[in-house]
Amino acid sequence: MPKTYRIFFFVVIVLFTKTTSAQIGKDTVPTSINVDLESIFDSKTPKEYTIAAIKVTGTQSFDANLIVSISGLAVGDKVMIPGTDAFSKAINNLWKQNLISNVEIYFTRLIGKNLYVEISITERPRLSNFKFVGVKKSEADDLTAKVGLVKGRVVTENMKRSAEDNIRKFFVEKGYRNIDVQVAEKKDTAITNSVLLTFMVDKKNKVRVDEIYFGGNDNVADAKLKKQMKGTKEMSRLSLTPSKNVNPYSDKNSSLGFKEYLKENGYLSPSKTKELVDPYFRFKLFTSAKFNDKKYAEDKNKIVDYYNSIGYRDAVIVADTQYYNNKGDMNIAIKMQEGHKYYFGNITWRGNTKYSDSLLSVFLGIKKGETYNVETLNKRLGKQASPDGGDISSLYMDDGYLFFRVDPVETAVYNDTIDHEIRIVEGPQATIDNVTITGNDKTKEYVIRRELRTIPGEKFSRADIIRTQRELSQLGFFNPEKINPGVVPYPDKGTVDINWALEEKSSDQLELSAGFGGGIGLTGTLGVTFNNFSINNIFKKSAWSPLPTGDGQKLSLRVQSNGKAFRSYNFSFTEPWLGGKKRNSFTVSYYDTKYANAYNPLTGGYSSAYADSSYIKTTGFGISLGKQLKWPDDYFSIVYSLNFQQYKLKNYNIFPGLTNGNSSNVSFKVTLARSSAGPNPIFPTSGSNFSLSLQFTPPYSLFRDIALYNDPTQKYKYVEFHKERFNAEWYVPIGKAHGEEKNKQFILKAAAKFGFLGRYNTNIELSPFERFQLGDAGLSNSFALLGYDIIAHRGYPVYDNSDPKINPDQSSAANFFPIFNKYTLELRYPFSTSASSTIYGLAFFEAANGWYTFKDYNPFKLRRSVGLGMRFFLPMFGLLGFDYGIGLDRITPTSGIKGAAKFTFMLGQEPE
């Protein structure tokens, strides 16, 4: 409804039915009418008056002084009447606030030159409540937050129009493009000067994309072009009869003009659409076929980009339209002009002194006669930044040429060939001057500086910047998405400053649970891990806030109890830079665990009184020293470990022939590893991890009497074995990064694992300790007390009670394999990579198996599984995971898929 402006100037003279009187004794003498006020506008010459007072009437919510202030009028103002515009301006000033629906100004008295003014206003009503009709409850809940309405605010036409637009936008994005929205305003009798708004929504049918037509695409198939349209998809079809919808851009219609053809065939009006026959079969999984204007515009650009990528650099969309068929669904028609296909011609170099033409040509990797693609050219030149490097810009910038510039110039276009001259400005090599660090509120600066590869006085290197970002992220103390090098070049001095901006994140973890069980007693877990601990300040009272932190050390304490049935104490401490000079890690750990079979045969339940009659107790101590290597590259490291475990069993049958006695395990382990996965250690997006380890004990059987190994109390007194492990992981990004911060991308993880447990002497039995167990989520169980490596195998149980068994080589329900193989493929997608929570989903294919002897070993005889999973990383609690796996080799005609499926849960860290 259009706004109307009404300006009233009334000379209010006390006349009407009233008279002003003065009482003298008993007689009343009427006073005369104020003639000057009545004729104030009749004067032929303007006269000056002074506003003596301003009165405001009609206000309910607003302060009178506020109204006067907004009007611009003030007591004492001089006004010329007739001729002044002060009062019309006052009305406009009040009206512009959108707070009132009507304003009038009265002159109420005139005494001499003193004019008395009254401002009468009618306030706009306020919103008491609003509701939606014709929508679902969930939609109404979403709309409440999107329409922008606030109860208690003044209701204006603009407010209502804005709410209607937001409602339309909400449903158009869901595919309801023909939506109709009406708003009704009703007075709220319960609240003074308030109204209720009701939005009546008629969504009508959802509009979906039925057909996408292309014309002029003589060299590229429709299917190829449709594939580029990621946000605009056709709906699925159910019939096998081909569609006879007419393509307005097909060759047979080329003689007709674009608009003329659409008009002739009725495509410009939904009410005049052509009759369609049954469409052909077309099935698209997870495709809604909604039409979104923004995505459609993006898809048109992608079509042109695709043409450019295959040599058609002149390709353009000359026309496109959308029209409706007789079912109310949308058809899209796009007319292309492809142009010629071009190829790379001669490529010459100019301005290069550091590297020769031949070397740059090899590094560029584009040969004469290849299909022209400007995106490929720019990528190889490094004009499009890539963290992986491998382009011309990286070649120069990794050697200090920060001020390097490169520009490809087309020097000749003939027939279908384009010649280029690559013009280079190398500039001077930049030297790093100042390196500053900000945002480290907890972590001490020296902890950060020892990770930096950007050292003052050294040449600038782009690779060092990327590597430092990875190293800082791997610490786990900072938000990986907020690590910013802040490169500030100074071309005139040939220097560069690097200002590392960081954002601390919570890195400590807490594990807490408690309970009480009948017959067992108090149960619970208390575990803390401090990942940025400072043992140097442990005796400084001022450093406890609440704990001494900032030195980058790791301290872990954990106590777990299940009454007398189970208890465990764990302690570990790691110094990542022993001595502070080099990346030499030092770790010391201790644990003590007891697992009791507190079974009461009389009651059939658990009883603490039986906890000392059957148990296994393990005590262990370990010390390790790690060192970063420089060769083959500095991604390599080597770790030496010395470990001692003491096993004590009493009437506890955990392994055939191992029920009572003490066993000692003294082993030495060497691990060679290479780790370049990153930058986020929780969700790596590139790189790889490799590790090869050898663990061995002294060969006791070479100097012990062999007869002792026939004595059940002596044969396992000293654990003897050698154990080899190999792990490999690759992370490969799939497709292009997207999202507001370009941090959403599919990541393919490929992994392979192998383990072997051997013996020195074939005359003794293979050690029952340090074996491999496959199944479930890889969580620790009672077999971990024997030093077992628990290998996750989603979709398969640890204990195989099936008949026949899934793995015929398995001699019992539990598996104690000395050999195993495992292969994994995971497709991951991040939903959140923020510092407060990392969340990603995954789909996996897994194949693994175990064997008892090399004679039976067959790396192709594997148990396969597929499934879906989710991972949640919360800094305080660590990694949580859920997987639903289907063991493909467990499926039988009787069990079906449901019987072969298994849900698994993991906590703490990604299982092996």
Side-chain angles (χ1 to χ4, degrees), residues 49-54 73-79 86-87 113-117:
Y49 298 92
T50 301
I51 297 178
I54 302 174
L73 300 175
V75 175
D77 284 354
K78 306 294 185 181
V79 294
F87 299 106
K113 296 295 184 180
N114 294 326
L115 182 65
Y116 292 80
V117 177

PDB file of all heavy atoms in Angstrom, residues 49-54 73-79 86-87 113-117:
ATOM      1  N   TYR A  49       7.725  35.198  14.349  1.00  0.00           N
ATOM      2  CA  TYR A  49       7.151  34.739  15.613  1.00  0.00           C
ATOM      3  C   TYR A  49       8.189  33.880  16.333  1.00  0.00           C
ATOM      4  O   TYR A  49       9.118  33.322  15.729  1.00  0.00           O
ATOM      5  CB  TYR A  49       5.884  33.919  15.372  1.00  0.00           C
ATOM      6  CG  TYR A  49       4.780  34.699  14.693  1.00  0.00           C
ATOM      7  CD1 TYR A  49       4.669  34.688  13.302  1.00  0.00           C
ATOM      8  CD2 TYR A  49       3.858  35.436  15.449  1.00  0.00           C
ATOM      9  CE1 TYR A  49       3.662  35.399  12.670  1.00  0.00           C
ATOM     10  CE2 TYR A  49       2.838  36.145  14.816  1.00  0.00           C
ATOM     11  CZ  TYR A  49       2.748  36.134  13.434  1.00  0.00           C
ATOM     12  OH  TYR A  49       1.749  36.845  12.817  1.00  0.00           O
ATOM     13  N   THR A  50       8.003  33.753  17.633  1.00  0.00           N
ATOM     14  CA  THR A  50       8.888  32.926  18.464  1.00  0.00           C
ATOM     15  C   THR A  50       8.084  31.766  19.029  1.00  0.00           C
ATOM     16  O   THR A  50       6.992  31.972  19.566  1.00  0.00           O
ATOM     17  CB  THR A  50       9.485  33.737  19.618  1.00  0.00           C
ATOM     18  OG1 THR A  50      10.221  34.838  19.080  1.00  0.00           O
ATOM     19  CG2 THR A  50      10.411  32.872  20.467  1.00  0.00           C
ATOM     20  N   ILE A  51       8.612  30.546  18.850  1.00  0.00           N
ATOM     21  CA  ILE A  51       7.932  29.382  19.410  1.00  0.00           C
ATOM     22  C   ILE A  51       8.108  29.410  20.924  1.00  0.00           C
ATOM     23  O   ILE A  51       9.231  29.290  21.440  1.00  0.00           O
ATOM     24  CB  ILE A  51       8.491  28.085  18.819  1.00  0.00           C
ATOM     25  CG1 ILE A  51       8.245  28.034  17.298  1.00  0.00           C
ATOM     26  CG2 ILE A  51       7.876  26.866  19.498  1.00  0.00           C
ATOM     27  CD1 ILE A  51       8.803  26.798  16.621  1.00  0.00           C
ATOM     28  N   ALA A  52       7.010  29.615  21.607  1.00  0.00           N
ATOM     29  CA  ALA A  52       7.063  29.759  23.056  1.00  0.00           C
ATOM     30  C   ALA A  52       6.959  28.420  23.776  1.00  0.00           C
ATOM     31  O   ALA A  52       7.533  28.248  24.856  1.00  0.00           O
ATOM     32  CB  ALA A  52       5.937  30.682  23.523  1.00  0.00           C
ATOM     33  N   ALA A  53       6.256  27.452  23.187  1.00  0.00           N
ATOM     34  CA  ALA A  53       6.094  26.134  23.823  1.00  0.00           C
ATOM     35  C   ALA A  53       5.705  25.119  22.765  1.00  0.00           C
ATOM     36  O   ALA A  53       5.084  25.459  21.757  1.00  0.00           O
ATOM     37  CB  ALA A  53       5.046  26.187  24.931  1.00  0.00           C
ATOM     38  N   ILE A  54       6.090  23.854  23.011  1.00  0.00           N
ATOM     39  CA  ILE A  54       5.739  22.754  22.113  1.00  0.00           C
ATOM     40  C   ILE A  54       5.130  21.649  22.943  1.00  0.00           C
ATOM     41  O   ILE A  54       5.755  21.128  23.878  1.00  0.00           O
ATOM     42  CB  ILE A  54       6.965  22.229  21.353  1.00  0.00           C
ATOM     43  CG1 ILE A  54       7.626  23.341  20.539  1.00  0.00           C
ATOM     44  CG2 ILE A  54       6.573  21.077  20.432  1.00  0.00           C
ATOM     45  CD1 ILE A  54       8.923  22.916  19.868  1.00  0.00           C
ATOM     46  N   LEU A  73      12.147  21.055  15.696  1.00  0.00           N
ATOM     47  CA  LEU A  73      11.643  22.289  16.296  1.00  0.00           C
ATOM     48  C   LEU A  73      12.175  22.423  17.715  1.00  0.00           C
ATOM     49  O   LEU A  73      12.456  21.429  18.377  1.00  0.00           O
ATOM     50  CB  LEU A  73      10.114  22.290  16.317  1.00  0.00           C
ATOM     51  CG  LEU A  73       9.410  22.186  14.952  1.00  0.00           C
ATOM     52  CD1 LEU A  73       7.898  22.081  15.147  1.00  0.00           C
ATOM     53  CD2 LEU A  73       9.766  23.363  14.055  1.00  0.00           C
ATOM     54  N   ALA A  74      12.290  23.676  18.170  1.00  0.00           N
ATOM     55  CA  ALA A  74      12.777  23.912  19.522  1.00  0.00           C
ATOM     56  C   ALA A  74      12.178  25.206  20.052  1.00  0.00           C
ATOM     57  O   ALA A  74      11.926  26.158  19.293  1.00  0.00           O
ATOM     58  CB  ALA A  74      14.299  23.988  19.556  1.00  0.00           C
ATOM     59  N   VAL A  75      11.904  25.216  21.329  1.00  0.00           N
ATOM     60  CA  VAL A  75      11.400  26.427  21.979  1.00  0.00           C
ATOM     61  C   VAL A  75      12.439  27.533  21.819  1.00  0.00           C
ATOM     62  O   VAL A  75      13.638  27.333  22.047  1.00  0.00           O
ATOM     63  CB  VAL A  75      11.116  26.167  23.467  1.00  0.00           C
ATOM     64  CG1 VAL A  75      10.711  27.469  24.170  1.00  0.00           C
ATOM     65  CG2 VAL A  75      10.020  25.132  23.618  1.00  0.00           C
ATOM     66  N   GLY A  76      11.943  28.730  21.380  1.00  0.00           N
ATOM     67  CA  GLY A  76      12.849  29.857  21.144  1.00  0.00           C
ATOM     68  C   GLY A  76      13.189  30.052  19.682  1.00  0.00           C
ATOM     69  O   GLY A  76      13.783  31.072  19.320  1.00  0.00           O
ATOM     70  N   ASP A  77      12.831  29.033  18.824  1.00  0.00           N
ATOM     71  CA  ASP A  77      13.092  29.192  17.395  1.00  0.00           C
ATOM     72  C   ASP A  77      12.292  30.357  16.833  1.00  0.00           C
ATOM     73  O   ASP A  77      11.128  30.598  17.231  1.00  0.00           O
ATOM     74  CB  ASP A  77      12.716  27.916  16.634  1.00  0.00           C
ATOM     75  CG  ASP A  77      13.737  26.810  16.827  1.00  0.00           C
ATOM     76  OD1 ASP A  77      14.790  27.072  17.455  1.00  0.00           O
ATOM     77  OD2 ASP A  77      13.481  25.670  16.355  1.00  0.00           O
ATOM     78  N   LYS A  78      12.871  31.101  15.905  1.00  0.00           N
ATOM     79  CA  LYS A  78      12.200  32.179  15.197  1.00  0.00           C
ATOM     80  C   LYS A  78      11.652  31.628  13.895  1.00  0.00           C
ATOM     81  O   LYS A  78      12.374  30.959  13.134  1.00  0.00           O
ATOM     82  CB  LYS A  78      13.159  33.330  14.905  1.00  0.00           C
ATOM     83  CG  LYS A  78      13.891  33.877  16.129  1.00  0.00           C
ATOM     84  CD  LYS A  78      12.946  34.543  17.122  1.00  0.00           C
ATOM     85  CE  LYS A  78      13.738  35.183  18.276  1.00  0.00           C
ATOM     86  NZ  LYS A  78      12.827  35.821  19.269  1.00  0.00           N
ATOM     87  N   VAL A  79      10.384  31.887  13.613  1.00  0.00           N
ATOM     88  CA  VAL A  79       9.771  31.417  12.380  1.00  0.00           C
ATOM     89  C   VAL A  79       9.059  32.572  11.694  1.00  0.00           C
ATOM     90  O   VAL A  79       8.519  33.474  12.348  1.00  0.00           O
ATOM     91  CB  VAL A  79       8.771  30.273  12.646  1.00  0.00           C
ATOM     92  CG1 VAL A  79       9.488  29.042  13.159  1.00  0.00           C
ATOM     93  CG2 VAL A  79       7.685  30.688  13.627  1.00  0.00           C
ATOM     94  N   ALA A  86       9.660  25.326   8.206  1.00  0.00           N
ATOM     95  CA  ALA A  86      10.125  24.622   9.401  1.00  0.00           C
ATOM     96  C   ALA A  86       9.141  23.544   9.827  1.00  0.00           C
ATOM     97  O   ALA A  86       9.530  22.453  10.267  1.00  0.00           O
ATOM     98  CB  ALA A  86      10.351  25.606  10.546  1.00  0.00           C
ATOM     99  N   PHE A  87       7.819  23.846   9.665  1.00  0.00           N
ATOM    100  CA  PHE A  87       6.834  22.873  10.142  1.00  0.00           C
ATOM    101  C   PHE A  87       6.680  21.696   9.164  1.00  0.00           C
ATOM    102  O   PHE A  87       6.471  20.558   9.576  1.00  0.00           O
ATOM    103  CB  PHE A  87       5.491  23.583  10.371  1.00  0.00           C
ATOM    104  CG  PHE A  87       5.589  24.662  11.410  1.00  0.00           C
ATOM    105  CD1 PHE A  87       5.585  25.995  11.041  1.00  0.00           C
ATOM    106  CD2 PHE A  87       5.734  24.341  12.753  1.00  0.00           C
ATOM    107  CE1 PHE A  87       5.687  27.005  11.990  1.00  0.00           C
ATOM    108  CE2 PHE A  87       5.846  25.329  13.706  1.00  0.00           C
ATOM    109  CZ  PHE A  87       5.832  26.676  13.333  1.00  0.00           C
ATOM    110  N   LYS A 113       3.941  37.970  20.048  1.00  0.00           N
ATOM    111  CA  LYS A 113       4.722  37.270  19.031  1.00  0.00           C
ATOM    112  C   LYS A 113       5.078  35.845  19.471  1.00  0.00           C
ATOM    113  O   LYS A 113       5.851  35.160  18.800  1.00  0.00           O
ATOM    114  CB  LYS A 113       6.006  38.039  18.727  1.00  0.00           C
ATOM    115  CG  LYS A 113       5.784  39.408  18.112  1.00  0.00           C
ATOM    116  CD  LYS A 113       5.147  39.283  16.724  1.00  0.00           C
ATOM    117  CE  LYS A 113       5.005  40.650  16.069  1.00  0.00           C
ATOM    118  NZ  LYS A 113       4.378  40.542  14.724  1.00  0.00           N
ATOM    119  N   ASN A 114       4.551  35.392  20.589  1.00  0.00           N
ATOM    120  CA  ASN A 114       4.831  34.046  21.127  1.00  0.00           C
ATOM    121  C   ASN A 114       3.786  33.062  20.604  1.00  0.00           C
ATOM    122  O   ASN A 114       2.587  33.235  20.855  1.00  0.00           O
ATOM    123  CB  ASN A 114       4.841  34.056  22.644  1.00  0.00           C
ATOM    124  CG  ASN A 114       5.993  34.886  23.186  1.00  0.00           C
ATOM    125  OD1 ASN A 114       7.070  34.930  22.587  1.00  0.00           O
ATOM    126  ND2 ASN A 114       5.774  35.561  24.312  1.00  0.00           N
ATOM    127  N   LEU A 115       4.271  32.047  19.900  1.00  0.00           N
ATOM    128  CA  LEU A 115       3.401  31.078  19.266  1.00  0.00           C
ATOM    129  C   LEU A 115       3.489  29.746  20.014  1.00  0.00           C
ATOM    130  O   LEU A 115       4.576  29.247  20.272  1.00  0.00           O
ATOM    131  CB  LEU A 115       3.819  30.884  17.799  1.00  0.00           C
ATOM    132  CG  LEU A 115       2.970  29.933  16.952  1.00  0.00           C
ATOM    133  CD1 LEU A 115       1.557  30.489  16.795  1.00  0.00           C
ATOM    134  CD2 LEU A 115       3.614  29.746  15.578  1.00  0.00           C
ATOM    135  N   TYR A 116       2.344  29.178  20.342  1.00  0.00           N
ATOM    136  CA  TYR A 116       2.274  27.894  21.055  1.00  0.00           C
ATOM    137  C   TYR A 116       1.902  26.801  20.038  1.00  0.00           C
ATOM    138  O   TYR A 116       0.922  26.931  19.301  1.00  0.00           O
ATOM    139  CB  TYR A 116       1.250  27.964  22.174  1.00  0.00           C
ATOM    140  CG  TYR A 116       1.679  28.889  23.297  1.00  0.00           C
ATOM    141  CD1 TYR A 116       1.525  30.275  23.168  1.00  0.00           C
ATOM    142  CD2 TYR A 116       2.266  28.379  24.450  1.00  0.00           C
ATOM    143  CE1 TYR A 116       1.940  31.128  24.171  1.00  0.00           C
ATOM    144  CE2 TYR A 116       2.670  29.229  25.474  1.00  0.00           C
ATOM    145  CZ  TYR A 116       2.520  30.601  25.336  1.00  0.00           C
ATOM    146  OH  TYR A 116       2.949  31.421  26.334  1.00  0.00           O
ATOM    147  N   VAL A 117       2.714  25.715  20.023  1.00  0.00           N
ATOM    148  CA  VAL A 117       2.600  24.673  18.998  1.00  0.00           C
ATOM    149  C   VAL A 117       2.255  23.329  19.650  1.00  0.00           C
ATOM    150  O   VAL A 117       2.774  22.999  20.725  1.00  0.00           O
ATOM    151  CB  VAL A 117       3.922  24.540  18.198  1.00  0.00           C
ATOM    152  CG1 VAL A 117       3.810  23.416  17.182  1.00  0.00           C
ATOM    153  CG2 VAL A 117       4.264  25.855  17.510  1.00  0.00           C
TER     154      VAL A 117
END
